Amino acid sequence: MNESELMSPVVIMGVAGCGKSSFAAALSQALGWQLIEGDEFHPPENVNKMRAGIPLTDDDRAGWLDVLAHELVQRGPHAVLTCSALKKAYRDRLRQSVPALRFVHLELTREQSIARVTQRPGHYFQPALVDSQFAALEKPVDEAGVFTADATQSIETIQAQVCAWLQSKECV
């Protein structure tokens, strides 16, 4: 991939269980970019709420999104961030710090999400929270700089699609 064509970081977004972490790790390795695992930046209060099966509110996410925006700015253009970015307001909050920020939306159904989340033993995100994620989700339809991929495809297939998209002139 031509480094000069890639001018801004990428956020891998979507509901729980869509494969954000797995895909972001593969993409960051393929591109030679830094990986920022958004879940690692949740404050203990947020983690405790999710562990208890309590959905996060906009207020809970506000400080977390500010920290993630700061991380994006600090790391520069060659970073891949995992962040659910469920609402347009969340994506816009990140864009305030990095205006050319791009998003890859890994899309799957509620049933697929529940099945995947149930298979993640030891993760603090509880399957009971999946419905709250779908309730909060504002799909990034008609937003500039967003690519939507079917999260049920292989990582390799999604990676090929995303790399082609990142290289296209309309995404730079």
Side-chain angles (χ1 to χ4, degrees):
M1 183 164 293
N2 182 345
E3 286 284 325
S4 66
E5 292 180 1
L6 304 171
M7 305 306 263
S8 66
V10 177
V11 176
I12 309 304
M13 64 162 288
V15 297
C18 70
K20 291 182 293 290
S21 296
S22 298
F23 178 68
L27 183 65
S28 65
Q29 184 175 9
L31 296 174
W33 290 11
Q34 295 181 64
L35 174 63
I36 306 169
E37 177 56 61
D39 281 349
E40 293 176 5
F41 294 90
H42 272 297
E45 302 81 31
N46 286 7
V47 173
N48 290 338
K49 281 182 89 169
M50 288 184 278
R51 223 178 233 129
I54 302 168
L56 297 181
T57 65
D58 290 349
D59 288 341
D60 293 329
R61 289 186 179 101
W64 175 64
L65 290 166
D66 290 342
V67 169
L68 295 181
H70 176 77
E71 286 295 318
L72 285 169
V73 169
Q74 293 301 309
R75 309 244 189 152
H78 298 128
V80 177
L81 167 67
T82 63
C83 174
S84 55
L86 297 173
K87 294 183 178 182
K88 185 176 186 308
Y90 303 166
R91 296 186 292 276
D92 287 346
R93 191 175 193 129
L94 294 172
R95 287 180 181 118
Q96 285 175 353
S97 296
V98 183
L101 189 61
R102 293 165 296 181
F103 292 81
V104 173
H105 176 211
L106 298 178
E107 193 171 43
L108 76 171
T109 67
R110 176 187 171 278
E111 293 73 25
Q112 291 163 332
S113 175
I114 290 171
R116 288 181 174 194
V117 169
T118 302
Q119 295 171 0
R120 296 189 314 193
H123 195 281
Y124 57 78
F125 190 91
Q126 299 298 309
L129 294 173
V130 168
D131 284 338
S132 70
Q133 293 238 308
F134 278 90
L137 178 62
E138 296 171 2
K139 292 183 181 184
V141 178
D142 297 327
E143 286 181 38
V146 178
F147 180 83
T148 298
D150 177 350
T152 64
Q153 299 176 102
S154 70
I155 286 176
E156 296 78 17
T157 299
I158 299 170
Q159 184 173 309
Q161 293 170 351
V162 169
C163 286
W165 175 71
L166 289 173
Q167 289 179 339
S168 72
K169 299 221 182 296
E170 62 191 343
C171 299
V172 176

